[in-house]
Amino acid sequence: MTPPGEDSNHVRRSLVDWVDEVADITRPDSVEWCDGSDEEFRRLVHEMVADGTLIELNQRSYPNCYLHRSDPNDVARSEESTFICTEKEDDVGSTNNWMGSGEARAKMRALLSGCMTGRKMYSIPYLLGPLDSPFSQVGVEVTDSPYVAASMKIMAKVGHVALEHLKGNGFVKGIHSVGALDPRNKFICHFPGEKLIISMNSNYGGNVLLSKKCHSLRLASVMARDEGWLAEHMLIIGIEDPNGAITYVTGAFPSASGKTNLTMLKPPEYMKEWNVWAVSDDIAWLHLDPQGTFRAINPESGFFAVAPNTSLKTNPRIMEMVKRNTIFTNVALSSDRTPWWEGMGEHPRKLWDWQGRVWIGGKSPGSAAHPNSRFTTPIRQYPFLSPEYDNPNGVPITAMIFGGRRSELVPLVYESFSWEHGILMGAMLRVETTAAASGEVGVLRNDPMAMKPFCGYNIADYFGHWLSFRSRSDRLPRIFQMNPFRLGRDGRFLWPGYSHNLVLLKWIVERCRGEAEAVETPVGYVPTADSLRIEGMGVPDATIKELLRVDEAAWIEELETTRLFFESLGERFPKALMQELDKETVRFESMR
Ligand code: GTP
Ligand code: SPV
Ligand code: MN
């Protein structure tokens, strides 16, 4: 693509000027404008196969699929290197890392100076969201990584289409350089005031596909606060019942906690007459329509999702989808040049693990695929993509679900009493950490609304923003929580999960219609065992009862822990939310 040089449109002009400015600082040998075409993708891939950046997979069984191996020290998002850069620390709050914007600018400028010398700089204009949607946004990412350039073609609408959608409100600017992959100088800096992202010394998706978490969540959440909408770490699905009626719901679960799998759920045998249509597997932008209904769009055009434990058993729809046009990162490679990961099935006799070490006969020590190995696939090729995916106005949301990995305590599924109580449910989310971010796995931590790593401003203000919708609408979605991750005494999952999660979705849909039965408990409306039971489901009644149990003593402790967390958020924490917590505490006390 030639740079849109002669263009008279001043916004396009300023985009080109900005790219020139970055090139003046970073000093690449050349600048290439990406047009997002298949031809360009083939060329990028060809170059990367030639220099070993990508490995071509078996083109008969995996056409147009490639394997990328990252640096072993650069395999997940790195929260300790992620900063929100503003003037005042209080603007970002205690759940974010803060850097003064002046200091950050100086630091980044020094790191960027000449960092692309000897390399090509790719300039990638991208559009997030449907064509001609009032909610879509334009960004431009410049990067010296061809892996990022190729992946961005999958994740966003790249090229002319972005320039055509440039409007008066400008565009988000992103600068990425792999630098020397120096971990001590790894920074992912966000400047909400300038709609600017600078990412240095990483080449891992979540740190470098800047359209994703950096733009669509951290910067967009700030815009959403200022403009009265929501940018959330949420899947969006349409649940079709046997009569063909479709109910749209969103679900906020933390990283590596089941969003993609719920989005691409294949109904089990005993619910064959139902279906789940995918709108988004990771991010939702939600705007109130004039009637007060939240309408959700997916800003993304591709999936960047977890590989391990995906199998024909757990999720055949994903297995089928990733068989073409997919870039795998850090999975293992079988001797027939097909990808392999833990949980896929039988361990191949010979394989190369994610670091390229060969193992023959028997299991590789450690894991063959990295626990956070992922694949990038265009959303268009998913056969059950909702026809409403392209709707410029988004889909109307009836319910929102919060969830996360919680081996104990949290019931399988239940409903909040009100919008405010639902916000409490989301704000209270305390879940086990996963391999999606560097650091220890399985540690309980607060991850309110699954946005701990992604909210670009003070989380106390964020709760206030959620509460503010009450006065703007009387058609707010119902709020639920689900937890398919409870463990039994034997350390195994009590609930079979995956396709069986449709049982929970059915209950949620029926609750919204005033149909399914529930019992009132201090934490919300919990299903009766009967209301979840379906002929053929094969989960023993005793297990369902255990999964629905509200453990009074453990919940009271949870509320106390939550109170400490809320108090740690300081003066800006909304009183109305503390009152919701008080009310829940009183509900338990009055039971005694
Ligand atoms: P991000 O892309 O990091 O935001 O993650 P995600 O929320 O989309 O998670 P994903 O669906 O990719 O699932 C992460 C891991 O959890 C994978 O290994 C899945 O196989 C596993 N998983 C997903 N759903 C279930 C479930 O219902 N039960 C169990 N036991 N595991 C699940
Ligand atoms: C997550 O970690 O929540 C992801 C993957 O969706 S990443 O894009 O790396 O953040
Ligand atoms: Mn995610």
Side-chain angles (χ1 to χ4, degrees):
M1 187 164 114
T2 48
E6 309 76 50
D7 212 289
S8 55
N9 178 317
H10 76 278
V11 194
R12 286 189 211 179
R13 190 63 251 168
S14 69
L15 188 147
V16 176
D17 287 348
W18 179 75
V19 170
D20 286 345
E21 239 174 80
V22 177
D24 278 345
I25 300 166
T26 58
R27 302 249 149 235
D29 289 1
S30 60
V31 178
E32 182 175 315
W33 282 78
C34 293
D35 64 8
S37 64
D38 292 343
E39 190 280 323
E40 174 182 83
F41 185 83
R42 276 194 293 274
R43 188 169 40 75
L44 283 166
V45 160
H46 181 79
E47 287 166 11
M48 285 189 278
V49 169
D51 72 10
T53 306
L54 291 184
I55 295 167
E56 190 177 78
L57 294 177
N58 187 322
Q59 295 296 296
R60 257 176 301 120
S61 44
Y62 282 80
N64 200 27
C65 291
Y66 301 88
L67 166 62
H68 175 69
R69 291 190 187 126
S70 78
D71 184 284
N73 296 314
D74 187 37
V75 292
R77 267 185 302 102
S78 127
E79 292 181 6
E80 65 286 1
S81 317
T82 301
F83 293 85
I84 311 291
C85 310
T86 60
E87 294 213 336
K88 292 193 287 283
E89 186 163 5
D90 217 25
D91 292 339
V92 314
S94 57
T95 57
N96 277 310
N97 298 318
W98 174 76
M99 208 189 292
S101 41
E103 180 198 344
R105 246 191 308 272
K107 211 174 197 149
M108 290 308 109
R109 190 157 182 120
L111 286 175
L112 285 170
S113 180
C115 71
M116 295 190 189
T117 303
R119 299 178 187 157
K120 188 186 275 182
M121 178 173 108
Y122 301 91
S123 173
I124 311 165
Y126 62 84
L127 173 70
L128 297 180
L131 300 182
D132 302 319
S133 165
F135 313 130
S136 292
Q137 293 191 17
V138 174
V140 57
E141 172 166 0
V142 297
T143 175
D144 53 11
S145 163
Y147 166 74
V148 168
S151 302
M152 283 294 286
K153 175 215 171 25
I154 297 176
M155 297 309 295
K157 298 180 173 81
V158 168
H160 290 287
V161 66
L163 300 173
E164 282 157 12
H165 279 76
L166 269 175
K167 285 170 276 192
N169 53 359
F171 54 91
V172 165
K173 309 174 181 86
I175 308 175
H176 166 243
S177 173
V178 293
L181 285 184
D182 171 5
R184 285 160 313 164
N185 278 314
K186 189 187 289 190
F187 289 100
I188 302 100
C189 287
H190 304 71
F191 301 79
E194 298 163 66
K195 296 190 181 172
L196 170 69
I197 306 149
I198 303 176
S199 169
M200 294 293 305
N201 285 300
S202 173
N203 203 25
Y204 168 73
N207 298 332
V208 302
L209 305 175
L210 301 184
S211 63
K212 198 169 173 62
K213 306 298 175 161
C214 302
H215 177 165
S216 293
L217 288 176
R218 295 195 193 96
L219 291 188
S221 62
V222 177
M223 297 179 218
R225 174 199 62 190
D226 296 343
E227 298 162 9
W229 52 283
L230 290 171
E232 298 298 325
H233 191 202
M234 283 177 170
L235 64 87
I236 312 168
I237 49 178
I239 306 160
E240 183 176 352
D241 75 7
N243 297 319
I246 298 181
T247 306
Y248 293 95
V249 312
T250 64
F253 317 152
S255 303
S257 299
K259 292 183 300 302
T260 302
N261 277 272
L262 200 66
T263 304
M264 293 191 240
L265 181 153
K266 181 183 179 191
E269 274 304 306
Y270 58 86
M271 290 184 78
K272 267 214 300 244
E273 62 285 21
W274 290 69
N275 198 15
V276 175
W277 297 93
V279 180
S280 176
D281 81 320
D282 199 46
I283 298 175
W285 286 353
L286 301 123
H287 293 75
L288 283 184
D289 70 11
Q291 286 72 43
T293 299
F294 268 120
R295 297 225 156 223
I297 63 161
N298 178 1
E300 303 194 277
S301 309
F303 303 113
F304 177 57
V306 176
N309 288 321
T310 311
S311 70
L312 287 172
K313 245 199 201 137
T314 61
N315 202 315
R317 288 184 173 180
I318 298 182
M319 288 303 279
E320 189 51 42
M321 178 184 77
V322 299
K323 282 198 152 162
R324 53 208 162 94
N325 310 321
T326 297
I327 301 176
F328 295 90
T329 299
N330 291 340
V331 299
L333 182 66
S334 308
S335 51
D336 61 353
R337 300 183 81 77
T338 59
W340 191 84
W341 47 79
E342 275 71 16
M344 186 200 266
E346 207 185 321
H347 194 286
R349 208 190 62 79
K350 177 177 179 186
L351 65 67
W352 288 264
D353 73 5
W354 65 278
Q355 297 184 72
R357 297 174 297 205
V358 67
W359 295 100
I360 301 172
K363 235 172 83 53
S364 41
S367 66
H370 188 276
N372 190 40
S373 54
R374 291 188 177 246
F375 57 82
T376 311
T377 304
I379 200 167
R380 288 257 160 242
Q381 73 186 47
Y382 179 59
F384 299 94
L385 182 65
S386 164
E388 292 295 302
Y389 167 74
D390 288 318
N391 188 329
N393 295 316
V395 295
I397 299 304
T398 302
M400 292 176 166
I401 313 170
F402 291 111
R405 287 179 183 270
R406 205 58 206 266
S407 54
E408 293 173 318
L409 187 78
V410 176
L412 184 60
V413 62
Y414 59 113
E415 185 187 355
S416 65
F417 294 121
S418 64
W419 177 250
E420 289 77 6
H421 181 235
I423 295 174
L424 177 71
M425 261 184 188
M428 278 180 73
L429 265 196
R430 211 156 67 94
V431 294
E432 288 137 30
T433 50
T434 67
S438 53
E440 229 182 308
V441 168
V443 182
L444 261 185
R445 73 162 185 183
N446 288 98
D447 192 347
M449 270 109 165
M451 283 288 277
K452 144 84 180 89
F454 308 120
C455 181
Y457 61 101
N458 191 314
I459 201 92
D461 296 346
Y462 169 82
F463 297 144
H465 181 50
W466 267 78
L467 289 164
S468 74
F469 288 96
R470 160 60 80 212
S471 64
R472 293 179 53 200
S473 166
D474 49 18
R475 291 189 179 194
L476 292 169
R478 302 239 218 155
I479 299 181
F480 295 81
Q481 181 148 6
M482 64 178 259
N483 176 26
F485 297 106
R486 281 276 304 278
L487 299 181
R489 265 191 265 270
D490 57 1
R492 295 160 64 129
F493 291 109
L494 281 171
W495 177 249
Y498 298 105
S499 66
H500 301 271
N501 291 334
L502 188 52
V503 172
L504 316 184
L505 297 178
K506 172 175 176 282
W507 187 82
I508 288 170
V509 168
E510 289 172 352
R511 279 304 286 176
C512 293
R513 292 182 182 155
E515 290 167 6
E517 270 186 77
V519 284
E520 193 174 327
T521 77
V523 296
Y525 297 112
V526 175
T528 60
D530 282 346
S531 68
L532 282 187
R533 191 180 296 117
I534 301 178
E535 183 73 32
M537 187 165 83
V539 181
D541 270 2
T543 306
I544 294 192
K545 285 217 174 87
E546 171 57 21
L547 283 163
L548 294 175
R549 193 167 57 88
V550 176
D551 180 337
E552 195 185 325
W555 268 106
I556 289 171
E557 237 176 80
E558 183 79 359
L559 294 178
E560 281 161 10
T561 311
T562 298
R563 189 174 296 277
L564 294 178
F565 172 60
F566 285 1
E567 282 168 0
S568 79
L569 299 178
E571 286 298 301
R572 290 161 85 144
F573 187 83
K575 289 197 178 54
L577 197 52
M578 200 61 100
Q579 282 161 9
E580 279 302 321
L581 182 66
D582 293 340
K583 285 199 304 202
E584 189 144 319
T585 310
V586 168
R587 283 196 295 271
F588 273 107
E589 281 166 0
S590 63
M591 262 175 73
R592 298 199 144 173

